[in-house]
Amino acid sequence: MRCAFIQPTVLIVPGLRDHVAQHWQTLLHARLKRQGRKVRSVAPMGRANLDCEIRVAAIEREVRATDGAVVVVAHSGGCVTLAHWASMWKGRVWGALLATPPDFEEPMPAGYPSLDELHAGGWLPVPRQRLPFPSIVAASRNDPLGRYERVAELAHDWGSRLVDLGEVGHLNPDSGFGNWPSVENYIDHIALAA
């Protein structure tokens, strides 16, 4: 039985973009550090490197380098990376928040990787197995990278609780989002439920 006062390390898994200073994950990392909480981030690799296997290995390295329990906070392509990594799970991850996962199985808007590029990078098919830890999928009603209904199917297949965020685009600076204060409530909920 886990004690309620044990705080897990929060592991932030970014999507396919390079580091963005005003992204909610960047701001969350800084805020958790200021609060004295344990936090780590998987280094962004940018869209030029679409090798899913390298990204999965980066999650594994960070989990192994962390003492104690972990709660993962993934965004966009980071959610799909985590789904690929989940087959390696060995009990240290208590749970995950998967914010606005994209639908990599449908063509994406201009400027994003094509289906051929995603397939060549090892992203497809997107894993549909139930995740071996509790999870929350936070979905947007107007996400240009994944229709709500398709993301709800992912949440169902992954065994995740689906949270409807309303119309928040892709929950990134391009959609008008920097700080996301309620993210800490989701993190704490996952940690307490584990």
Side-chain angles (χ1 to χ4, degrees), residues 49-73:
N49 180 356
L50 286 179
D51 189 321
C52 183
E53 190 174 303
I54 289 173
R55 291 170 185 266
V56 167
I59 292 175
E60 180 66 11
R61 266 192 314 277
E62 290 298 328
V63 170
R64 285 178 182 265
T66 303
D67 291 329
V70 176
V71 168
V72 177
V73 177

Side-chain angles (χ1 to χ4, degrees), residues 39-168:
V39 60
R40 300 179 69 93
S41 290
V42 172
M45 297 176 193
R47 283 197 195 145
N49 180 356
L50 286 179
D51 189 321
C52 183
E53 190 174 303
I54 289 173
R55 291 170 185 266
V56 167
I59 292 175
E60 180 66 11
R61 266 192 314 277
E62 290 298 328
V63 170
R64 285 178 182 265
T66 303
D67 291 329
V70 176
V71 168
V72 177
V73 177
H75 177 249
S76 189
C79 302
V80 180
T81 309
L82 186 70
H84 280 281
W85 173 85
S87 66
M88 302 171 72
W89 179 75
K90 295 177 181 65
R92 299 210 22 234
V93 171
W94 280 4
L97 171 63
L98 307 163
T100 60
D103 183 359
F104 278 173
E105 296 173 336
E106 292 287 323
M108 306 247 281
Y112 290 91
S114 69
L115 289 173
D116 287 341
E117 290 170 317
L118 291 169
H119 192 273
W123 296 92
L124 301 176
V126 171
R128 296 289 183 145
Q129 295 86 358
R130 185 176 185 87
L131 297 176
F133 40 75
S135 58
I136 296 171
V137 168
S140 170
R141 288 278 176 179
N142 63 342
D143 189 341
L145 303 186
R147 290 188 337 267
Y148 183 85
E149 296 75 20
R150 295 274 298 173
V151 173
E153 288 174 20
L154 273 178
H156 177 267
D157 292 346
W158 290 341
S160 304
R161 186 181 81 155
L162 179 66
V163 173
D164 183 344
L165 297 177
E167 294 188 351
V168 295

